[in-house]
Amino acid sequence: KAGVTQTPRYLIKTRGQQVTLSCSPISGHRSVSWYQQTPGQGLQFLFEYFSETQRNKGNFPGRFSGRQFSNSRSEMNVSTLELGDSALYLCASSLSGQGIYEQYFGPGTRLTVT
Amino acid sequence: QKEVEQDPGPLSVPEGAIVSLNCTYSNSAFQYFMWYRQYSRKGPELLMYTYSSGNKEDGRFTAQVDKSSKYISLFIRDSQPSDSATYLCAMSALESGGYNKLIFGAGTRLAVHP
């Protein structure tokens, strides 16, 4: 079974620009979560989508947004990029539901903002 | 104070040693406890998860959860150079999205030398 895929793997953007990252979950998985990983703050939860609806959200500004499509693929958008947005952005998929399901991570998109 | 505390290390041990990795937490609502391994430039890989208190063993890995002390541990027996990676603990409480909002520790960098 193919794992979680993320595109692009690397991205360089300039302050003030916007960026869209893509995540394709494992086949059959309906929940997609997004995380930001930085050396200073570690891994932090951004938001989670299930059936095209955002079910949970972390403490990030509104510049960070996402969506999920009917095939469970998800995109994350960051507008008005700041230098501090430089990070590894990870998505994770799980079967979801309300029970306990393992989350499987993709390789991440490394975003550098200059 | 962070919800999940984890010593970032680094931890350096000789091959064959028993490794003990630990996390403490403050949120008594956490019920689902996970350990992830992350190699350099890769996404986190789920090693084990435990629901509520108790022990769980998988090969050379043993996870322990002590909810009364808000303390979790991962033991690695007969450590190998291939175990060299960053180990992240993660926890979640039941929310609107189920257990999909993971709160991570900072990660402990482990080096196993031959």
Side-chain angles (χ1 to χ4, degrees):
Chain A
K1 188 184 265 191
V4 178
T5 57
Q6 291 187 245
T7 56
R9 292 293 311 278
Y10 302 92
L11 208 49
I12 299 175
K13 289 287 189 179
T14 304
R15 265 183 306 176
Q17 288 185 314
Q18 75 166 19
V19 67
T20 298
L21 313 180
S22 181
C23 172
S24 292
I26 292 171
S27 177
H29 285 193
R30 298 171 65 194
S31 166
V32 174
S33 300
W34 287 90
Y35 294 83
Q36 181 196 65
Q37 187 173 31
T38 60
Q41 298 298 318
L43 261 157
Q44 294 184 283
F45 175 80
L46 280 156
F47 29 66
E48 186 248 354
Y49 285 87
F50 173 72
S51 288
E52 302 176 64
T53 301
Q54 186 182 91
R55 289 198 302 189
N56 212 334
K57 188 176 185 305
N59 298 322
F60 278 81
R63 301 186 296 108
F64 292 82
S65 62
R67 59 178 177 167
Q68 187 181 34
F69 303 95
S70 58
N71 61 357
S72 295
R73 191 177 69 84
S74 177
E75 286 182 347
M76 192 191 93
N77 184 273
V78 188
S79 63
T80 319
L81 283 165
E82 299 177 0
L83 293 178
D85 296 333
S86 294
L88 181 66
Y89 289 89
L90 294 154
C91 82
S93 76
S94 72
L95 284 169
S96 191
Q98 289 292 317
I100 300 166
Y101 297 95
E102 299 98 295
Q103 286 194 33
Y104 296 91
F105 282 82
T109 294
R110 186 164 296 279
L111 172 66
T112 302
V113 181
T114 62
Chain B
Q1 184 188 1
K2 292 188 174 183
E3 280 189 285
V4 180
E5 299 281 358
Q6 183 177 11
D7 186 337
L11 184 61
S12 182
V13 302
E15 184 175 354
I18 296 174
V19 175
S20 173
L21 304 166
N22 311 293
C23 290
T24 59
Y25 63 94
S26 57
N27 186 352
S28 58
F30 287 144
Q31 296 185 54
Y32 184 29
F33 304 90
M34 290 136 283
W35 286 95
Y36 283 86
R37 177 174 63 195
Q38 187 174 25
Y39 292 113
S40 181
R41 301 197 175 277
K42 301 277 189 181
E45 168 196 9
L46 179 65
L47 284 174
M48 304 178 68
Y49 74 89
T50 308
Y51 179 66
S52 195
S53 284
N55 295 357
K56 190 171 186 177
E57 189 173 318
D58 184 2
R60 297 184 295 112
F61 299 88
T62 300
Q64 291 185 349
V65 174
D66 182 350
K67 291 191 73 179
S68 62
S69 301
K70 296 191 177 68
Y71 187 88
I72 71 170
S73 301
L74 177 71
F75 297 95
I76 307 174
R77 291 183 298 280
D78 188 25
S79 56
Q80 302 295 310
S82 59
D83 294 329
S84 299
T86 296
Y87 289 80
L88 300 137
C89 63
M91 310 178 185
S92 67
L94 183 61
E95 297 192 21
S96 57
Y99 288 91
N100 283 327
K101 179 181 177 180
L102 301 183
I103 306 300
F104 281 85
T108 299
R109 185 177 297 178
L110 171 67
V112 182
H113 52 86

